[in-house]
Amino acid sequence: QKQAELRIRESERKFRFLFENNPLPMWTFDSETLRFLYVNQSAIMKYGYTFEEFMNMTIKDIRPEEEFGRLLENLKNERSIIGHTKHWVHKLKNGERIIVDIISHIIEMDGRKAELIVAIDVSEKIAAENALIESEKSLNQAQEISHMGT
């Protein structure tokens, strides 16, 4: 029994180490109350909130109001255990907005339904794609104006 307890403790230690040291922002939240249950150091650094601030917030607090409806609708929908959703707007503590893709995993935590979230900031990628689209439009307009072929 002691050996089993040691293996469980070691497994928990490894999990905590991997969660805490993941380079991507990660958190867990209660599926019913939407309250943060735990956040890793990367989330604290990226979003600018302290651990204590996160623990007094819900996932709605990191989203702009215009995203609340989409968020609540997404949470109502039947989802697979592991999910991937694209292009959510999140608010940082300083007011800046970022665009993230979310990978989620439905879990049980302390006997309650919860979700484990990994947030991937795609703001720069989206900005680069938009700049490329604008550049292509400008090139096409210049070609049309000068009557040149491609």
Side-chain angles (χ1 to χ4, degrees):
Q1 186 173 350
K2 281 187 177 189
Q3 287 290 343
E5 288 175 15
L6 285 173
R7 282 193 300 272
I8 289 171
R9 271 193 236 127
E10 180 62 16
S11 176
E12 288 173 354
R13 186 190 69 73
K14 286 178 183 176
F15 168 77
R16 184 170 300 278
F17 177 82
L18 291 172
F19 184 91
E20 287 289 337
N21 293 291
N22 192 302
L24 295 172
M26 294 177 66
W27 55 81
T28 57
F29 73 90
D30 183 291
S31 296
E32 186 178 317
T33 66
L34 308 183
R35 293 193 84 59
F36 285 99
L37 299 173
Y38 202 75
V39 297
N40 72 356
Q41 193 61 37
S42 293
I44 291 166
M45 290 172 54
K46 180 71 177 178
Y47 286 78
Y49 297 99
T50 66
F51 181 81
E52 292 75 20
E53 287 172 320
F54 266 118
M55 294 302 99
N56 289 306
M57 295 167 54
T58 71
I59 60 170
K60 287 173 65 175
D61 294 321
I62 62 169
R63 288 169 171 80
E65 266 187 60
E66 62 269 15
E67 289 264 318
F68 288 177
R70 179 178 172 220
L71 171 65
L72 296 176
E73 189 64 33
N74 185 60
L75 293 172
K76 267 195 305 188
N77 292 337
E78 186 67 30
R79 293 175 293 155
S80 61
I81 295 202
I82 296 177
H84 183 253
T85 55
K86 291 185 165 202
H87 305 343
W88 289 94
V89 178
H90 282 187
K91 295 185 311 186
L92 306 182
K93 185 176 181 178
N94 67 9
E96 181 185 343
R97 292 179 179 208
I98 59 172
I99 301 170
V100 297
D101 287 350
I102 297 290
I103 299 170
S104 61
H105 187 89
I106 297 171
I107 60 173
E108 186 176 305
M109 210 166 162
D110 298 326
R112 296 182 58 96
K113 185 177 171 189
E115 290 195 38
L116 171 66
I117 301 294
V118 177
I120 304 164
D121 186 348
V122 294
S123 302
E124 289 181 12
K125 177 184 173 199
I126 300 290
E129 288 172 354
N130 290 339
L132 181 59
I133 289 168
E134 287 303 312
S135 176
E136 288 174 350
K137 282 182 187 176
S138 295
L139 177 60
N140 287 338
Q141 287 174 343
Q143 288 175 339
E144 284 178 26
I145 291 168
S146 66
H147 303 291
M148 293 178 62
T150 55

